[in-house]
Amino acid sequence: MKKGLQLACIFVLCFGNIMAQQLTSPDKKFVLVFALQGDGTPVYQLDYNGKQVVKPSKLGFVLKGDKQSLLNQFTVVDQKQSTFDESWNPVWGEVKTIRNHYNELAVTLSQKESNRKMLIRFRLFNDGLGFRYEFPQQKELAYFVIKEERTQFAMTGNHTAYWIPGDYDTQEYDFTTSKLSEIRELMKKSITDNLAQTSFSPTGVQTSLMMKSSDGIYINLHEAALINYSCMHLNLDDKNMVFESWLTPDAKGDKGYMQAPCTTPWRTVIVSSDARDILASKMIYNLNEPNKIKDPGWIKPVKYVGVWWEMITGKSSWSYTNEYPSVQLGVTDFTKAKPSGTHGATNANVKKYIDFAAKHGFDAVLVEGWNIGWEDWFGNSKDYVFDFVTPYPDFNVQELRDYAKAKGVRIIMHHETSGSVRNYERHLDTAYRFMKQNGYNAVKSGYVGPILPRGETHYSQWIVNHYQYAIEKAADYQIMVNAHEAVRPTGIARTYPNLIGNESARGTEYQAFGGSKANHVTLLPFTRLLGGPMDYTPGIFEMDLSKLNPANKSHVNSTLANQLALYVTMYSPLQMAADLPENYDRFPDAFQFIKDVAIDWDDSKYLEAEPGEYITVARKAKGKDEWYLGSVNGYSKRTSKISFDFLDKGTTYIATIYADAKDADFKSNPQAYVIRKVLVKNTSKLQQLCAPGGGYAISLMVAGKGATKGSKSL
Ligand code: NOJ
Ligand code: CA
């Protein structure tokens, strides 16, 4: 009997199902079985290489004010299987071409008595499963409110999980590594160690959730195409190791307002016995709609510096005055307010950054704190709320626009909304028009603090719709968006590639707010980055922040070589060199890597990977025979062992290796690095020492004629 069929039979035997459908992935490694239990409850199960990875798990919804929810009493009225295979070229990305290849099972269900129809669409790829619910147009179910989604992911054991708490307002946590059974106990500590702002459940975690089973299977749970729906966290039944979807409620406690025809986002399960496959998976993107921006030629990867780290470290300030709130100033004309003397976004300082960007070949300069409103964070004053168009008196929009243009540099706009979302929406058209008039083509937006209107949080359906509105409207104006504190991405950048970045996780800023775990960057690519790029803002060369601001006692938990590697390991078409120009001037040889490294790629090869421990990746620059390699390391000193067999046969490359010195350590000796140049061919191999919290970066350029003379080979 064929494996799939055998499985379906076991499934039927175990659950007394009447009808079971099974689907295999194109490479036959995955088998999905869908069935209805005796009472008409929809259930699915996923197998990988002949072993269960998701045990029989229920599907359905509890509806608000409804006697008969969408949980059971279903019959199968139709089922269709199909195959899809296409390749597409992303506007920017880790690879030139992405293959979207899956087998699909679409099951149409009808509920007894209510006659309501619900379709469940499963797509089985070679890297895992995506499925979603669809509600066709029908008179039996036109408008409805979701009280609870009841999608289960039943795990096969007490896996190791790399998790952050299921907060409705922030993803900016360090990861905790623990067994599933330990989450309940560790949750409280994680919450108090971090900046939790809203309610949480004792076993609730966020996605993308990375896990590893005791027999070495890597499993990732997330979602794709989060559109017009609330963000999904997961609640764990830690007796049975069953996760259940936990949607973010709105201010009234409702979880989704639906109008058929409509669909939910995709629920995703990426699985492999090789951790590198999880990093290379493009399944989340593939489950999103193709690019909707017709002529995306204006969307360009950006390497930038910014008037930013100096504010984050407390060396300078966003606001022009010291007064808070601005109403207390007693003046209506801002130019009459007394400046604090620490304002960062002054004409002179911005020019300094523009000069630095021009000198070193950066595309842009981010300027934060340029506009009025910072003194009055929560919009209590009528006079000085953020309107996104009024500069402080010492920031001259036209003068800086012309100065930057003359130097071939763009200024990146900054819109801190202070969570006042309706205020932002009211000003959005004017703000985007102002940008176009003044030569800005990219905006960093931000949503710090509790969301206004009060009671809403950062991840409910209403605000998910707001983030999407801001992206789509920006596309109308040909503006690129980098949204901080917005909901974590779910592959939407495939459809709207003007979304070139998000924060939505713990970024470098936390190194200035007390520090992050030294292995944090070995986890982000397994979790947060699966849905889209992160504006992580790497490139810190001075780890002792009291040197920038004596009051800041934070230490950046990373070696300098690790900071260089991040430009390759943390894939993003938007990369910042976040430190101050004067710190780069101290280490010009190491800074060269940041200047050289590409930000758009034709190919990516994951060479080594283990969550929490290490990641090594090599990438080929877009349209060039140049490779860059990055390796980041966790807490244990280790030797990375790689082969250069991904290089073209017969070509010799000059490899510049930027590595931790022997005695480097993220805490005690972070700036100890060594740089060496060697010749490399596709037969070459490298053994490279990585310090705790360290790593290495390599640039590989084709060796020109004569360049090989006298050079050492690896
Ligand atoms: C938090 C963002 O993550 C950070 O990058 C920004 O500088 C501040 N908010 C101020 O908007
Ligand atoms: Ca942030």
Side-chain angles (χ1 to χ4, degrees), residues 195-216:
L195 290 177
Q197 294 173 18
T198 48
S199 58
F200 64 95
S201 139
T203 56
V205 294
Q206 302 202 32
T207 74
S208 130
L209 175 69
M210 190 65 217
M211 286 173 283
K212 185 180 181 183
S213 71
S214 55
D215 54 352

Side-chain angles (χ1 to χ4, degrees), residues 172 485 503 509:
E172 297 180 359
E485 292 87 39
E503 185 192 44
E509 62 184 12

Side-chain angles (χ1 to χ4, degrees), residues 487-506:
V487 72
R488 78 283 189 277
T490 54
I492 281 162
R494 177 184 180 188
T495 319
Y496 292 97
N498 65 319
L499 179 62
I500 53 167
N502 271 120
E503 185 192 44
S504 314
R506 191 180 183 90

